[in-house]
Amino acid sequence: SKRLVCFISLCYTVGLSDFFFVSATVSEYVVSQTIPRLMKLYRDPGESNHRPQILTLFCVVIGAFSSDQLSSDSPIHLAAYKDDVLSAFTSGLQTSASREASLEGLKKLSQIHGILSEEELTYVVHGINEVLQADDSTDDSYDARCVSIISTF
């Protein structure tokens, strides 16, 4: 938990996206070290109360790929981890505590050109529709965000 707090602070202070601008090799290294560790934390039952923060960190990493300063092959580094990240974001939709970070992550992921297939986009839309139709989804801000994300497709 202490490491997670330090990592979050580093990401926001330094700006993780700055690391992606150095070179493709650095970008690949940062992704290969960051995403598997975040996935390990996300899947750890002892860290379940930190899942919203972990999803926020995924958003930071995914947000770095949506920058215009990245080379066109940069999303290739993310493609190897796309299924895990997509799974984390869609499962995060199921709990209200992590829903906001999941919606933001799905939006950022869907904005990376060519990263998601048509079937994966359909899967995302289905997950968002479940949020809209859920009994506990009475917050209009979630409804508006869901519609906003779907409209980006």
Side-chain angles (χ1 to χ4, degrees):
S1 292
K2 197 173 207 178
R3 288 184 194 174
L4 179 62
V5 171
C6 290
F7 188 70
I8 291 171
S9 298
L10 175 68
C11 288
Y12 285 117
T13 304
V14 176
L16 186 62
S17 61
D18 294 341
F19 291 114
F20 289 98
F21 303 140
V22 177
S23 72
T25 305
V26 172
S27 171
E28 183 177 9
Y29 178 77
V30 170
V31 169
S32 71
Q33 296 300 305
T34 305
I35 293 181
R37 289 179 186 191
L38 290 175
M39 282 308 301
K40 184 177 178 182
L41 282 171
Y42 186 81
R43 291 178 178 149
D44 183 355
E47 298 290 338
S48 63
N49 57 334
H50 297 292
R51 284 188 178 155
Q53 293 85 358
I54 295 167
L55 289 171
T56 299
L57 288 174
F58 276 125
C59 289
V60 171
V61 173
I62 301 305
F65 281 100
S66 63
S67 172
D68 294 335
Q69 297 179 25
L70 292 176
S71 65
S72 62
D73 65 340
S74 291
I76 293 171
H77 307 311
L78 180 62
Y81 306 101
K82 169 187 67 163
D83 292 338
D84 285 338
V85 173
L86 182 60
S87 172
F89 285 142
T90 53
S91 69
L93 289 173
Q94 305 306 314
T95 60
S96 60
S98 59
R99 192 168 292 146
E100 186 174 335
S102 293
L103 288 171
E104 184 63 27
L106 288 169
K107 182 177 182 179
K108 288 178 186 271
L109 191 61
S110 66
Q111 290 173 337
I112 300 172
H113 180 69
I115 196 75
L116 296 178
S117 67
E118 188 174 323
E119 293 83 21
E120 290 165 330
L121 288 171
T122 302
Y123 180 68
V124 169
V125 170
H126 177 72
I128 292 172
N129 278 336
E130 287 181 358
V131 170
L132 288 170
Q133 295 173 356
D135 292 337
D136 65 342
S137 182
T138 58
D139 186 1
D140 289 339
S141 66
Y142 283 125
D143 293 351
R145 289 196 59 185
C146 290
V147 171
S148 167
I149 293 167
I150 291 173
S151 69
T152 63
F153 302 153

